Amino acid sequence: MTRTKIIGTLFVPVIALSVFANQLYRQAAFDLSAWKGGGMGMFASADAPAYRFARVIAETGGQTIHLDCFASDLNDLLTSATHEPSNRNLSNLAQAVLAETWHLHETPAALAPPSSTTASLTSMLVQPRAAARTCPYPPPGGLGNQTVRFDSVRVVFYKLTYDRATSTLSATQEDALDHVRTRSQ
Amino acid sequence: MSEPAANSAALESPRRLWARFLEGVGSRSRFEVAAGLTILLTLFFPFDAWYFQITAQLLAIVFVLHPRAAASPLFWYLLALLGSFAIIEHWQPVDNHKYLLVYWLWGLVAAAFFSRDDDRDLILRRTARFMICFIMLGAVVQKTISGSYLDATMFEVILLTDPRFEGLLAVLGIDRHDLALSQALYNDLRAPVPVIAGGEAIMPADERLKAMAVAFTWLDYVIQAVVGVLFLLPGERIERFAHLSLVVFILFIYFIAPVLGFGWLIAILGIALAHGRFPRLTLGYLASFIVLISYQIPWSKVAMELGWLEVMQ
């Protein structure tokens, strides 16, 4: 067999096995989900991206606000933070939330979660670029005039774990990261 | 005057049309068949990236007008390069079968570099065989080390919470109200603001659902291990059986988990290996290509509207 044929034959296996090895390494080192990263792990683990999520909690003027309405750039960072919750990815998300200027809206009471306990849900903040389709609570009257920047942000990463014996699905906190606005920000 | 000829073609018996179809598939080279089907795959199940989609659409038009264009490495190089960019751009959320699509596109680039049909065949066959073994045995490795697969946890929680399985479970007699409840609990646990005290919920998993999860777990695991190992072994009889197992895998697995782009890719890999050697199995792969399309029909919804599912429960 000629050298060209050997290269042609080995080309795909070398790429595929390198990506596979990288996926296994990142799974062990950075908790990358087995389902992602080219490791052939779809339907291989209960730790799928659908069972990972992050709660983003911001503070401004002593008020706590839970954020869940992101434009695509922040959504990409949120996806990275949940698929591979490394300190770097969680920190990137927190920093991007702090860097954003947010707009205040009234939340329709009927759409607020039933057992909401905090006053923060009487209003909500959205990114100016977040389209209504990405918002679970669409603002009733277009963009408001009030803008705000946060003093600090907490990103809390959770996994949903399932216990077969008791048929219990639990949200377990795996990691949390705080970011406080600095003078330069 | 072409009218009489056209009329005679229209009146051709189904048997003769079928024979001509077989002749057509058989007379094309392995590379031509794989190339044509891969173009369909990039057209119907592309990357989300706009630059890949537009390029795939333009190249599909070029292919229709001038099929020989697909023999050029540049044709596949463009798709492989743009597919690679699409993965690098969003490597975390991209599904595994998109990685596989890019590997296959690079395999076509490598094959197209050779001008002789025999050489192209060799590269395609080896790439396809490697990829089938890689997909199957890679999945077996992940399932073995995951810690939540072999005890059926993965399938049980997926069946309870993933709406894609709702139709199948309804057909199998699982109470739709239980499924709606488990999906609502799942959504509440993930809510941006905690709405379930203690962050725990008991899911309505009855014994039948648990048994189904165990059955799906072992069927999926065993069939992947068998297909992966069979394609590693030498011998024509073993290979024939390997292809048969792969066709069964495609028809069974993608009925349960309808990731059609993945199913199509595996069928193309099978065709790239079987073409010219196992004509009936090649047809089996082509048939599975079409059957996978039919999996997009919302059967359970249709059955519910016709009232069949209510009767079954």
Side-chain angles (χ1 to χ4, degrees):
Chain A
M1 191 149 61
T2 64
R3 216 170 75 175
T4 332
K5 277 187 204 165
I6 293 172
I7 293 171
T9 302
L10 292 179
F11 190 57
V12 169
V14 166
I15 299 173
L17 291 172
S18 305
V19 172
F20 185 77
N22 177 58
Q23 201 281 343
L24 289 180
Y25 163 70
R26 299 191 84 98
Q27 219 185 119
F30 305 115
D31 199 16
L32 172 64
S33 169
W35 287 53
K36 296 293 175 181
M40 302 303 107
M42 268 177 87
F43 295 98
S45 160
D47 185 17
Y51 304 103
R52 293 170 164 218
F53 65 100
R55 290 195 171 119
V56 184
I57 304 145
E59 274 199 14
T60 178
Q63 196 189 10
T64 303
I65 294 159
H66 293 256
L67 300 173
D68 67 338
C69 189
F70 297 136
S72 62
D73 49 353
L74 272 189
N75 231 0
D76 287 349
L77 291 173
L78 182 66
T79 304
S80 292
T82 50
H83 284 33
E84 190 183 81
S86 61
N87 263 350
R88 191 176 135 189
N89 287 342
L90 294 171
S91 176
N92 284 345
L93 174 62
Q95 282 180 9
V97 170
L98 275 183
E100 190 70 56
T101 300
W102 298 74
H103 285 240
L104 182 64
H105 291 279
E106 291 302 312
T107 305
L111 290 170
S115 61
S116 60
T117 51
T118 59
S120 62
L121 274 169
T122 56
S123 63
M124 74 172 292
L125 291 146
V126 293
Q127 271 178 284
R129 284 162 291 143
R133 67 187 164 78
T134 63
C135 304
Y137 315 122
L143 291 177
N145 294 323
Q146 207 176 334
T147 59
V148 67
R149 301 193 82 189
F150 297 124
D151 304 325
S152 67
V153 170
R154 183 174 174 77
V155 178
V156 189
F157 171 64
Y158 293 86
K159 283 184 183 178
L160 288 181
T161 51
Y162 183 68
D163 182 351
R164 273 196 93 216
T166 58
S167 304
T168 307
L169 191 62
S170 316
T172 316
Q173 183 179 322
E174 297 282 325
D175 204 354
L177 187 137
D178 292 293
H179 252 278
V180 179
R181 180 181 297 284
T182 57
R183 276 173 188 268
S184 60
Q185 285 174 310
Chain B
M1 299 297 264
S2 61
E3 256 182 42
N7 285 342
S8 72
L11 291 172
E12 218 168 15
S13 72
R15 182 175 277 191
R16 278 197 61 188
L17 273 175
W18 179 241
R20 280 173 56 150
F21 170 74
L22 293 183
E23 206 181 288
V25 174
S27 67
R28 291 185 188 281
S29 74
R30 185 187 308 270
F31 186 87
E32 285 172 332
V33 174
L37 293 173
T38 306
I39 289 166
L40 282 182
L41 177 64
T42 59
L43 207 55
F44 283 99
F45 301 105
F47 284 92
D48 289 338
W50 59 268
Y51 47 83
F52 184 90
Q53 292 185 6
I54 291 173
T55 309
Q57 288 161 11
L58 290 174
L59 288 177
I61 293 170
V62 170
F63 178 72
V64 169
L65 297 175
H66 182 54
R68 287 195 58 77
S72 157
L74 184 65
F75 186 98
W76 299 106
Y77 183 73
L78 270 173
L79 286 172
L81 196 67
L82 295 176
S84 302
F85 279 142
I87 286 188
I88 292 165
E89 204 181 8
H90 296 288
W91 71 271
Q92 283 162 335
V94 168
D95 287 333
N96 285 321
H97 63 275
K98 296 297 184 198
Y99 283 79
L100 294 169
L101 172 58
V102 165
Y103 301 157
W104 181 239
L105 290 171
W106 282 116
L108 285 161
V109 173
F113 264 108
F114 296 90
S115 50
R116 286 181 55 225
D117 270 353
D118 285 355
D119 295 338
R120 289 182 171 194
D121 274 14
L122 180 82
I123 302 295
L124 272 195
R125 262 190 296 144
R126 290 191 171 170
T127 303
R129 187 182 295 276
F130 164 77
M131 283 184 65
I132 291 169
C133 294
F134 174 70
I135 293 165
M136 299 299 161
L137 299 179
V140 168
V141 168
Q142 291 278 11
K143 283 168 181 173
T144 308
I145 64 173
S146 89
S148 58
Y149 181 85
L150 293 175
D151 65 358
T153 300
M154 191 284 296
F155 259 117
E156 191 168 314
V157 71
I158 289 268
L159 292 177
L160 281 165
T161 56
D162 190 334
R164 287 180 297 178
F165 295 96
E166 199 180 276
L168 173 71
L169 292 176
V171 171
L172 294 174
I174 300 292
D175 192 328
R176 289 207 315 275
H177 301 101
D178 280 354
L179 295 175
L181 172 63
S182 59
Q183 281 166 25
L185 290 170
Y186 161 78
N187 286 329
D188 283 350
L189 282 168
R190 287 175 49 101
V193 178
V195 294
I196 295 182
E200 278 188 2
I202 307 285
M203 307 299 271
D206 65 12
E207 286 309 311
R208 217 164 15 158
L209 186 132
K210 283 180 182 290
M212 267 179 214
V214 173
F216 287 158
T217 295
W218 286 102
L219 274 172
D220 188 25
Y221 188 78
V222 169
I223 197 168
Q224 284 192 311
V226 166
V227 172
V229 170
L230 284 176
F231 273 102
L232 283 178
L233 300 175
E236 196 180 312
R237 280 181 71 181
I238 293 176
E239 190 171 350
R240 194 184 296 274
F241 188 62
H243 282 296
L244 201 60
S245 311
L246 189 57
V247 173
V248 171
F249 173 85
I250 294 169
L251 294 176
F252 167 70
I253 292 296
Y254 297 106
F255 179 71
I256 296 174
V259 191
L260 302 184
F262 203 165
W264 268 26
L265 179 64
I266 294 183
I268 292 171
L269 297 177
I271 290 167
L273 265 179
H275 182 73
R277 300 182 62 215
F278 306 109
R280 282 187 185 172
L281 286 163
T282 305
L283 284 179
Y285 284 119
L286 284 171
S288 69
F289 220 75
I290 293 156
V291 171
L292 285 181
I293 295 174
S294 77
Y295 287 175
Q296 293 174 109
I297 298 170
W299 293 111
S300 55
K301 209 171 170 184
V302 173
M304 279 177 212
E305 277 168 18
L306 293 173
W308 295 347
L309 281 184
E310 296 301 329
V311 173
M312 286 170 76
Q313 283 175 25

